[in-house]
Amino acid sequence: DADVTQTPRNRITKTGKRIMLECSQTKGHDRMYWYRQDPGLGLRLIYYSFDVKDINKGEISDGYSVSRQAQAKFSLSLESAIPNQTALYFCATSGTTGGGNQPQHFGDGTRLSIL
Amino acid sequence: AQKITQTQPGMFVQEKEAVTLDCTYDTSDPSYGLFWYKQPSSGEMIFLIYQGSYDQQNATEGRYSLNFQKARKSANLVISASQLGDSAMYFCAMREGYYQKVTFGTGTKLQVIP
């Protein structure tokens, strides 16, 4: 089983719909992140959370919200989807042991298309 | 200013040859970490190698090595003996600051030619 699981893997929806992308992890990491990937722009940070009570905006949080339901679960919501939110979305986790050399562990991504 | 700059959108390399993928970074934080990830066409992000700002030695992991030049703020990835399976997007990333946020570059698409 994957350590970081994203659901759904693919989603096609219409403008104006509310969408939730879910992420769960079995790595026991405190830190969780949501990124979006667009061609030519790399990965951009949407939101990150360092524990259940700590949620922070990333560089492109407008139009998105998140919920950290438990240490292992971090959901991303698009309250009213718009076409320019069509992208590949990644959830990632990282631990805090061993200093800063812990890499982020990524889920397999969610391909979201908004028509 | 861009925190992570990858100036090579695409590169070709002959199979079995070595290739260097460039990455420069910008930070005022004395403590930071640099990462390289590989993204094959299937889409997953695969961690390759890490270099800490205080590490004295350049990092190596199998065929991957990181040419870390701190004064120049560069952290180039060297892949030795390229294989066809190395064809992918490669992202450089930096972790810095109190919240240890990670910033990614725009990536380099590497294609290995038989």
Side-chain angles (χ1 to χ4, degrees):
Chain A
D1 289 340
D3 294 323
V4 183
T5 303
Q6 291 183 233
T7 57
R9 291 296 312 279
N10 295 280
R11 178 79 183 270
I12 301 173
T13 191
K14 295 181 178 179
T15 299
K17 293 289 188 180
R18 184 177 185 274
I19 302 159
M20 180 179 286
L21 308 183
E22 301 194 16
C23 177
S24 62
Q25 52 117 345
T26 58
K27 300 191 74 67
H29 289 165
D30 289 325
R31 300 179 179 184
M32 298 187 74
Y33 309 79
W34 275 105
Y35 292 91
R36 67 176 278 176
Q37 183 179 20
D38 298 277
L41 294 179
L43 276 73
R44 293 181 292 166
L45 183 63
I46 306 173
Y47 270 96
Y48 59 104
S49 169
F50 278 16
D51 64 41
V52 175
K53 297 180 181 179
D54 178 80
I55 292 178
N56 304 279
K57 293 182 178 181
E59 60 182 296
I60 54 163
S61 58
D62 288 347
Y64 301 94
S65 62
V66 291
S67 172
R68 186 81 184 265
Q69 301 96 321
Q71 187 204 35
K73 295 183 182 295
F74 192 37
S75 300
L76 176 72
S77 293
L78 289 68
E79 295 299 327
S80 180
I82 55 177
N84 73 3
Q85 291 177 312
T86 293
L88 179 60
Y89 289 84
F90 283 103
C91 174
T93 74
S94 67
T96 54
T97 57
N101 65 344
Q102 295 298 311
Q104 292 186 320
H105 298 263
F106 285 82
D108 288 338
T110 295
R111 292 192 181 276
L112 179 61
S113 296
I114 299 163
L115 306 178
Chain B
Q2 293 288 332
K3 285 191 172 289
I4 293 286
T5 302
Q6 295 181 253
T7 57
Q8 306 151 314
M11 289 192 70
F12 291 91
V13 63
Q14 203 77 34
E15 193 177 6
K16 300 181 184 178
E17 297 291 313
V19 62
T20 298
L21 306 183
D22 294 342
C23 174
T24 58
Y25 60 92
D26 182 29
T27 181
S28 57
D29 192 339
S31 177
Y32 54 90
L34 297 155
F35 301 83
W36 277 91
Y37 287 86
K38 173 184 178 181
Q39 186 180 39
S41 58
S42 51
E44 69 268 30
M45 295 289 286
I46 301 168
F47 165 69
L48 296 178
I49 196 166
Y50 166 83
Q51 180 83 43
S53 59
Y54 295 120
D55 293 343
Q56 297 296 314
Q57 305 279 348
N58 284 346
T60 60
E61 289 287 347
R63 294 187 298 111
Y64 304 109
S65 60
L66 202 153
N67 184 4
F68 181 47
Q69 298 188 44
K70 195 170 183 177
R72 294 185 176 184
K73 293 189 175 180
S74 73
N76 299 338
L77 176 69
V78 180
I79 304 174
S80 63
S82 297
Q83 301 172 355
L84 295 177
D86 293 335
S87 294
M89 283 289 289
Y90 288 81
F91 292 95
C92 180
M94 177 175 65
R95 169 180 280 159
E96 60 167 342
Y98 177 78
Y99 276 102
Q100 296 283 282
K101 288 167 61 177
V102 177
T103 305
F104 285 79
T106 54
T108 295
K109 184 174 183 178
L110 177 67
Q111 296 185 66
V112 180
I113 306 167

